[in-house]
Amino acid sequence: MKLKLLATVTASLTLFGLAAPVKAQNPDHVRQLLETKECEGCDLRNADLFKASLYRANLRGADLSGANLYEANLLEADLRGANLANANLVNAEMYGADLDGANLRNADLSNAFLGRANLTSADLRGAKLFKANLGEAYLQQANLSNADLRRSLLFRVNLNRANLSGADMSFADVRDSNLQNAILSNTRLPRAQLTGTNIDAANNVRQGDLERANFRGTNLGPGVCVITNYPYCVLNVE
């Protein structure tokens, strides 16, 4: 009878999300990280690093998938090749962090500060970057397909050859950014600020939602204005 009651309570807690949090796979690695800030290649899956101070921490190649890094200080941290898939990075401070080749698939980076971060070739598919600050960040060849970039700051960002297909960039500030050869197929850009950008590949925006976007001073590829038919476009006929 007691076992049956315990099973019922456990099932109810799980149903309502009140069950005990999943612990890190290797607590010794968590302790090592917090004490030394050196944890290259560590197993930190599901680790609770809530508001952790990880300034300039070495987390190269570490597995942080599912980790709770809410409001964590990751300023100038080395996260090259790290696995941050499904991690909670809401409000995280990541200015100047090196995330070259990192896996951030489906990670929540809402309101995160990623100014001048290196996200070259990073996997950000399905990532949530709502209101994230990516000013002057490096996103060359990054995969941002289906990412949530609504109201994000992408001022002077290098998005050369980045994949933004299916991404939602509504109200995003993309002024003076490098979008050369970026993939913008089915990208949503309503009310986005694109002043001073260089969208020079017309085929990449033909299916995009560009409602009321501001293109003033933008260098557009041939035929873009004919297709979108919105004001402030610059028709570049070759």
Side-chain angles (χ1 to χ4, degrees):
M1 186 67 178
K2 288 183 179 180
L3 288 173
K4 184 176 181 181
L5 179 60
L6 179 60
T8 303
V9 172
T10 302
S12 299
L13 289 172
T14 303
L15 178 65
F16 291 101
L18 298 173
V22 179
K23 294 183 179 180
Q25 298 297 316
N26 194 324
D28 290 334
H29 284 183
V30 175
R31 190 178 306 109
Q32 175 186 331
L33 172 63
L34 295 176
E35 291 177 357
T36 69
K37 296 184 183 179
E38 289 284 337
C39 216
E40 186 172 337
C42 284
D43 182 359
L44 298 161
R45 287 174 289 169
N46 303 309
D48 186 4
L49 296 164
F50 177 79
K51 293 188 176 183
S53 178
L54 301 170
Y55 173 61
R56 287 187 174 178
N58 179 10
L59 286 158
R60 187 174 182 178
D63 189 349
L64 288 146
S65 55
N68 179 17
L69 288 151
Y70 179 86
E71 290 191 0
N73 180 354
L74 288 158
L75 291 169
E76 300 181 12
D78 186 351
L79 288 153
R80 286 174 289 174
N83 183 4
L84 289 149
N86 300 299
N88 178 4
L89 288 152
V90 175
N91 295 330
E93 294 282 346
M94 303 177 75
Y95 178 88
D98 194 345
L99 291 142
D100 189 344
N103 179 5
L104 290 148
R105 192 169 183 177
N106 297 316
D108 192 345
L109 293 133
S110 299
N111 292 300
F113 183 33
L114 289 147
R116 295 192 176 183
N118 180 17
L119 288 148
T120 302
S121 300
D123 185 353
L124 288 147
R125 285 176 289 175
K128 190 171 183 179
L129 290 145
F130 179 70
K131 287 188 176 181
N133 186 336
L134 290 140
E136 299 184 343
Y138 302 92
L139 283 152
Q140 303 98 306
Q141 298 184 326
N143 192 340
L144 289 143
S145 57
N146 300 311
D148 180 1
L149 287 153
R150 290 173 301 147
R151 299 185 182 277
S152 60
L153 178 63
L154 292 157
F155 179 65
R156 291 183 179 173
V157 171
N158 191 342
L159 287 155
N160 184 30
R161 299 184 184 278
N163 185 354
L164 289 153
S165 58
D168 190 347
M169 299 175 73
S170 304
F171 294 91
D173 185 348
V174 200
R175 289 173 300 153
D176 297 335
S177 288
N178 179 14
L179 286 158
Q180 187 173 22
N181 300 312
I183 300 172
L184 293 163
S185 177
N186 296 307
T187 304
R188 298 195 67 241
L189 284 155
R191 303 293 185 96
Q193 294 292 323
L194 290 155
T195 305
T197 57
N198 60 340
I199 304 174
D200 65 354
N203 291 334
N204 289 342
V205 295
R206 293 196 177 190
Q207 301 299 318
D209 180 357
L210 300 159
E211 182 184 0
R212 304 180 81 170
N214 185 356
F215 287 95
R216 193 185 301 259
T218 296
N219 176 24
L220 293 162
V224 174
C225 290
V226 173
I227 297 161
T228 63
N229 197 30
Y230 290 114
Y232 310 134
C233 286
V234 178
L235 181 57
N236 181 15
V237 180
E238 294 183 342

